[in-house]
Each structure stands twice: as structure tokens, then as C-alpha cells.
Amino acid sequence: MRFLASPSILLTLSVLTCGISSAAVHHVHRRASLVCYEDNSLRTLQRFSSDAAAFCPKYLQSSSEPLPRNLVEVPVTRLSSACTCFQKTAAPSPTWASAVAPTPTSISSVKTTSWSTSASVAPELPTSTALPPTTTSEPTSAPNSVRAVGKAYNGGKRGLVYDWNSQDYSKFFKNSNKIAFGSNWREKRIPAPGVTFDNGAYVPTIHVDGNLKNDGWLNAVKALIASGTPMIYASNEPDNQGQANLTPAQAATVYKNFVQPFKGQAALASPAITNGGGATGLGFLENFVGQCRDCHFDIINVHHYVNRWDVGVDQAVSAVKSFLTKDVAAFQAKHPQFQNTKICIGEFWLWGASDEEGADYLRKLLPWLDGNSNVACYQAFGGLWKGNFINSAGTGLSRSGQVYHDL
């Protein structure tokens, strides 16, 4: 089904909600933006925007248009609505002035980061530079399938996302001392020939087949931990049909079989959930916890996306802050397993923003994330693709990429 809300309706909704409290604005916009985000495979199209820009107009005219290789993970049943959403978010950004929602009170600022758990109660946690000790007896050299190369973890918060299509774009971040780690939704640092990442430590993500299996995971992660991996990501967006697409019970099984065994060897992150409502987002995590009562967590991993045609830059920044300090903090306070955990915002972005708006978004948000002692790590999405942190020619950093490199 195509997304049929007209720009005039969305504009009316945005204007009407400007006078509501910050919490109300946050939740209204989140539901609106996720019509595209959760129910479709919009993110894949936006990641490979040049392919999508060429493919979608033709596909919407004729469904017989062949699917580009980069877009094959988009289910055929969602191509039409995903392309419609892509064209809407790729349109020029609206020019109306954004209403600025009040910024939630910031948690006290510190400069050091600990991904390990602490004995104190969230949301304010003491910091330490010590990570959980590596107890594996595996050799320190990794097998060729993992390629444990690159800088050691530097204790920072900022990560880069990349995949097999990122080529050698990590070279543009080589001189940045801000990048601490990277991830690519798999257990392999080098996902394909020609793709490099030597900008920091590598954080693996468990990805399973239809039988909830991954035969290469355990040995690969043991080698990564021996080489200095500080953290392990559980399933990527199990609450999203376009990503891991697991039930809470399945996500719990995956966690117990593939993540829990590394307790004490690296910081363990919960399944990364979207900022959706209902049975998705924190609602999904609620049901997951019920299936994973004996599980150990060091990190609560969340994602946050809103669309530029729903909100302005300042509203988007406030939405992230509100989500972390209100919604996520309330969830942590409710569940003993998460009361001593810190937060990783493993993906976040303002979809549909221009390059300059993306840079402005980062300028306003990154200092807050860096100074928030309850945030262990973050990765903007932005990433190592042309049209994101790499300019459209592939010859250097975009404006938003330069901010992520420098600030």
C-alpha cells in the first residue's frame, strides 16, 4: 500500500502540533515518520540513494523494472510503498520555520566513558575507563574471515556504520581522533573485498538465518574479543520487518545462544530496537525481557529516526534527547536488568535532511551525547556511503561527514 498523506496534510499536522508540549510533539511525529520507517524498507533505499533515485520512478510506473543488486533485500511486497516514501523524503526540504521544543535537562557532563556496568542506579552512573576483562583463551590473531586489524579501542563513544558497499571510504576518517569503533551488522570487520575499516575497534552484530543459526559466530567473536573488541551487539531491529524481523521469543533465543555466552568478556548490548510505538520499540523490548529473564545486559541499544518533512532540525534534536532521558530512562527504571546499564544509540538520523541540515543536526546533538554520562556510545546514520558522510562524487567527506569527523 502506498503512503498517501499529502504534503499539505503533513504541514498542517506539523503546525498544529507546534504548540503542544515537547513530549506530545515527540510522540506525534514519531508515529507519523514511522509510517514509512517501520512498515517499509525505506532505510535501504536511502542508504543506496543513487540506485533508488534511478529505480523508484521507473518502478512506480512499471513494476517490471529490474531490481538493482543493492536493493535486493527490500521485500517485493513493500517496494511500492518504500519507493513512494523514498521519493517523498528525497524531495526538497520544506522551508517553514521549525518550532523549537524545550530541551530536556541534560545529565551531568563527563568526558570519560565506561561500557561496563556499575553498582549505582540509572540514570546517573559513575564513569570508569575500565572495560570488562577479556577472559577468552583464544589466540590474539584473528582468522582471515574476521581480519582483526585497525586501531585499538580508544575509550571514545563515536562509531561509524558501513557495509560491503562502503569501499575504502573509511580512509576519509583516518585522521580523526573522534572515531572509536565501527560496525556493519555482521561479525566480519571486512565484509567484502575492497572494503576497509581500520579506524577503531570493531563491534560485531549477531545475524542469524531462518533457523536462528550462525555457525561462524562464536569463533569469530572470540577472535574479535582477543583483538580488543569492547562490545557485542545483539539482533539489529528485531521489531522491524525490514531488518532482523524476530518475535520477542526468537530474539531471546538468539541472545541466549549467541550473546550471553560472552558475559564478562565484552559489554553486551540488548537487541537494538526502533523508536516505534505499540508492539515495536520499547514495547517489543518489554516483551523480550519477559522471555529473557535470566539474561545479562551491560548496554541498552536503541535507534532513533525522524523525518525532515515532519520536524525541523531543532525539534529532531529535542526528540532524541526526550527519547533517551524520558522514554528509555523510564524503561530502565522499570526493569532490574537495565537499571545499571548505559545507553547506546546505535543508529540515529534525520531522514530527508539536506547535507547542511544534517551537519546542523550533528553540531547541536553530538556535544550533548558526548557530555551525557548515561550514553555509552552512538553511531549516526550517516555512514560510509556516497550521499551520506561521503560526498556524492565519492572523493571526500560531505558537510555532515566533516562535522562527524571533527566536532
Side-chain angles (χ1 to χ4, degrees):
M1 179 182 295
R2 295 185 182 181
F3 181 65
L4 299 176
S6 69
S8 60
I9 293 174
L10 291 170
L11 174 57
T12 302
L13 286 174
S14 296
V15 172
L16 287 175
T17 55
C18 284
I20 306 175
S21 68
S22 62
V25 170
H26 170 55
H27 290 294
V28 168
H29 288 313
R30 187 175 354 151
R31 285 197 298 270
S33 64
L34 287 171
V35 169
C36 282
Y37 173 62
E38 280 187 4
D39 295 338
N40 307 298
S41 295
L42 174 62
R43 183 169 57 188
T44 298
L45 301 188
Q46 288 173 317
R47 186 191 309 171
F48 303 112
S49 57
S50 58
D51 290 324
F55 167 77
C56 284
K58 297 176 182 178
Y59 179 80
L60 292 174
Q61 291 295 320
S62 172
S63 59
S64 61
E65 182 69 16
L67 193 63
R69 176 189 174 192
N70 288 344
L71 307 183
V72 293
E73 66 184 73
V74 180
V76 175
T77 55
R78 290 200 290 279
L79 267 174
S80 177
S81 53
C83 274
T84 302
C85 287
F86 173 80
Q87 291 189 309
K88 188 177 291 291
T89 57
S93 299
T95 58
W96 66 84
S98 59
V100 182
T103 301
T105 302
S106 172
I107 299 173
S108 61
S109 298
V110 294
K111 293 185 178 179
T112 57
T113 299
S114 170
W115 292 2
S116 58
T117 55
S118 167
S120 67
V121 177
E124 185 61 37
L125 300 177
T127 58
S128 166
T129 56
L131 292 172
T134 299
T135 58
T136 178
S137 59
E138 291 293 310
T140 56
S141 59
N144 290 333
S145 61
V146 178
R147 294 280 304 279
V149 297
K151 300 177 184 176
Y153 174 62
N154 65 13
K157 296 184 178 186
R158 190 173 304 177
L160 279 171
V161 287
Y162 67 102
D163 66 9
W164 56 267
N165 199 51
S166 297
Q167 301 179 39
D168 62 347
Y169 295 142
S170 66
K171 67 185 179 185
F172 297 124
F173 280 89
K174 232 168 207 182
N175 296 326
S176 174
N177 61 3
K178 302 293 185 178
I179 304 303
F181 69 99
S183 66
N184 63 26
W185 304 282
R186 293 293 190 274
E187 69 272 19
K188 296 180 180 180
R189 176 189 285 270
I190 308 299
V195 176
T196 61
F197 181 80
D198 58 0
N199 301 77
Y202 177 71
V203 174
T205 306
I206 179 59
H207 177 84
V208 296
D209 61 21
N211 295 316
L212 306 185
K213 301 293 185 182
N214 183 329
D215 294 336
W217 169 264
L218 293 177
N219 286 335
V221 174
K222 286 178 183 178
L224 284 168
I225 289 175
S227 70
T229 288
M231 180 173 62
I232 299 171
Y233 282 157
S235 304
N236 180 64
E237 296 187 0
D239 57 327
N240 185 347
Q241 292 182 358
Q243 297 299 314
N245 191 26
L246 302 171
T247 67
Q250 289 173 326
T253 296
V254 171
Y255 192 90
K256 292 173 183 176
N257 289 344
F258 296 100
V259 181
Q260 182 81 3
F262 295 101
K263 175 183 176 181
Q265 301 176 47
L268 307 185
S270 68
I273 47 91
T274 68
N275 55 313
T280 65
L282 293 170
F284 180 96
L285 201 59
E286 181 95 30
N287 292 325
F288 164 81
V289 170
Q291 302 285 336
C292 211
R293 295 188 183 279
D294 297 327
C295 296
H296 170 83
F297 307 97
D298 298 295
I299 301 286
I300 181 170
N301 194 2
V302 298
H303 293 174
H304 190 277
Y305 291 94
V306 290
N307 281 312
R308 175 62 184 91
W309 42 276
D310 281 339
V311 297
V313 171
D314 290 318
Q315 285 178 307
V317 171
S318 291
V320 174
K321 295 178 180 180
S322 179
F323 181 59
L324 298 185
T325 61
K326 295 179 181 178
D327 298 2
V328 177
F331 179 89
Q332 288 177 287
K334 181 179 178 181
H335 296 283
Q337 298 104 309
F338 290 99
Q339 287 176 1
N340 294 329
T341 61
K342 293 190 177 184
I343 301 169
C344 184
I345 180 165
E347 294 178 22
F348 65 95
W349 197 244
L350 174 58
W351 285 133
S354 67
D355 189 24
E356 182 52 46
E357 286 174 330
D360 190 32
Y361 173 70
L362 292 176
R363 289 188 200 101
K364 293 175 177 178
L365 185 56
L366 294 185
W368 184 86
L369 293 172
D370 287 332
N372 188 325
S373 63
N374 202 36
V375 174
C377 51
Y378 60 82
Q379 293 174 282
F381 197 105
L384 296 181
W385 303 283
K386 289 192 289 186
N388 286 278
F389 283 166
I390 309 303
N391 63 34
S392 58
T395 57
L397 296 176
S398 63
R399 292 181 182 179
S400 56
Q402 197 67 54
V403 172
Y404 206 69
H405 179 284
D406 293 340
L407 186 61

